[in-house]
């Protein structure tokens, strides 16, 4: 994989420019974008930067984090609070993401997206109001393990950390086998349209745009 040095500012600008000229693959009016990465890679920060640049270009954006679509604690912790397989397979409510986020953005959909569903702190539904994404708007979904679910993304960005960097920057070390499994089963660096190497957060490098 050939990587070129880039700054975060140039990266967000390049991604926003690409998205501003991209047409949805399904023929509908909304773009759907993944910013995939372990929490240690801070995918939400990149999603924030891209969202800001898109808004400067006059595009409406909804940011959705998978941390708002966790399953209830009774399901997440069924096999204990530090089970890496449960973290990989059972923590994130992919069915709710399909229903509340992707379904409304299908061609002919309402455009009414639920930004979050479950608060892991209170272990209760957030009861957040739906947000309507206008035609021409962009969904930015960020979080870990986004690839491999057949989500209908128009552009996928994977923030990659080496095994050593991931271990160094992940306090919850029990989750590390889940990310190893993701590498083995999904190979996100091969599946993503854009890969950003973020071992040193001060000096990212990327593969460029497809």
């Amino acid at each position: 994989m050939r990587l070129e040095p880039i700054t975060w500012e140039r990266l967000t600008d390049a991604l926003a420019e690409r998205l501003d000229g991209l047409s949805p693959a399904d023929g509908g009016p909304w773009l759907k974008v993944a910013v995939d990465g372990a929490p240690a890679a801070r995918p939400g920060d990149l999603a924030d930067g891209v969202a800001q640049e898109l808004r400067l270009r006059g595009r409406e954006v909804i940011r959705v984090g998978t941390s708002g679509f966790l399953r209830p604690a009774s399901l997440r912790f069924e096999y204990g609070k530090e089970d890496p397989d449960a973290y990989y397979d059972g923590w994130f409510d992919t069915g709710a993401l399909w229903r509340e986020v992707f379904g409304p953005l299908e061609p002919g959909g309402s455009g009414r997206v639920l930004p979050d569903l479950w608060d892991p702190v209170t272990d209760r539904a957030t009861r957040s109001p739906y947000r309507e994404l206008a035609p021409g708007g962009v969904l930015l979904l960020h979080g870990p393990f986004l690839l491999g679910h057949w989500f209908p993304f128009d552009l996928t960005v994977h923030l990659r950390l080496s095994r050593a960097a991931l271990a160094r920057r992940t306090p919850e070390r029990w989750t590390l086998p889940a990310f190893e499994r993701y590498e083995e089963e999904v190979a996100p660096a091969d599946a993503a349209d854009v890969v950003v190497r973020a071992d040193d957060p001060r000096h990212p490098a990327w593969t460029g745009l497809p």
Side-chain angles (χ1 to χ4, degrees):
M1 180 186 303
R2 184 175 180 179
L3 297 169
E4 298 179 356
I6 194 169
T7 64
W8 291 111
E9 291 79 9
R10 286 174 49 216
L11 175 63
T12 54
D13 185 68
L15 290 172
E17 184 176 357
R18 178 73 178 97
L19 290 169
D20 200 29
L22 191 65
S23 298
D26 61 10
W30 301 286
L31 282 173
K32 295 166 283 290
V33 182
V35 183
D36 174 67
R42 304 180 66 87
D45 289 356
L46 180 57
D48 279 340
V50 175
Q52 182 177 352
E53 288 295 329
L54 284 170
R55 289 175 182 131
L56 290 174
R57 289 169 165 78
R59 301 293 293 270
E60 187 173 331
V61 180
I62 288 181
R63 272 180 71 260
V64 175
T66 56
S67 59
F69 282 84
L70 293 175
R71 290 190 168 98
S74 60
L75 299 177
R76 298 200 312 275
F77 304 146
E78 184 177 1
Y79 301 102
K81 292 188 176 182
E82 296 187 355
D83 186 291
D85 288 325
Y87 177 62
Y88 182 72
D89 286 325
W91 275 43
F92 301 98
D93 195 340
T94 55
L97 285 168
W98 276 107
R99 182 178 68 252
E100 303 290 358
V101 178
F102 290 104
L105 300 182
E106 292 178 350
S110 66
R112 295 178 69 246
V113 172
L114 190 65
D116 51 61
L117 178 66
W118 200 259
D119 185 337
V121 176
T122 63
D123 201 35
R124 295 176 182 271
T126 59
R127 303 191 183 281
S128 295
Y130 284 86
R131 292 180 55 194
E132 187 164 347
L133 187 61
V138 181
L139 165 72
L140 286 170
L141 180 65
H142 60 88
F145 313 135
L146 293 183
L147 308 180
H149 296 291
W150 301 102
F151 288 145
F153 293 118
D154 297 295
L155 187 73
T156 54
V157 181
H158 173 62
L159 291 173
R160 184 172 181 80
L161 295 175
S162 67
R163 181 176 295 186
L166 179 63
R168 186 171 61 249
R169 292 163 56 183
T170 301
E172 302 83 3
R173 297 185 64 83
W174 64 269
T175 64
L176 295 176
F179 294 106
E180 291 179 12
R181 184 176 166 193
Y182 187 51
E183 289 288 335
E184 293 170 1
E185 296 184 3
V186 178
D190 296 328
D193 297 313
V194 178
V195 177
V196 181
R197 188 69 173 265
D199 285 2
D200 183 343
R202 300 166 300 176
H203 303 291
W206 74 325
T207 57
L209 291 164

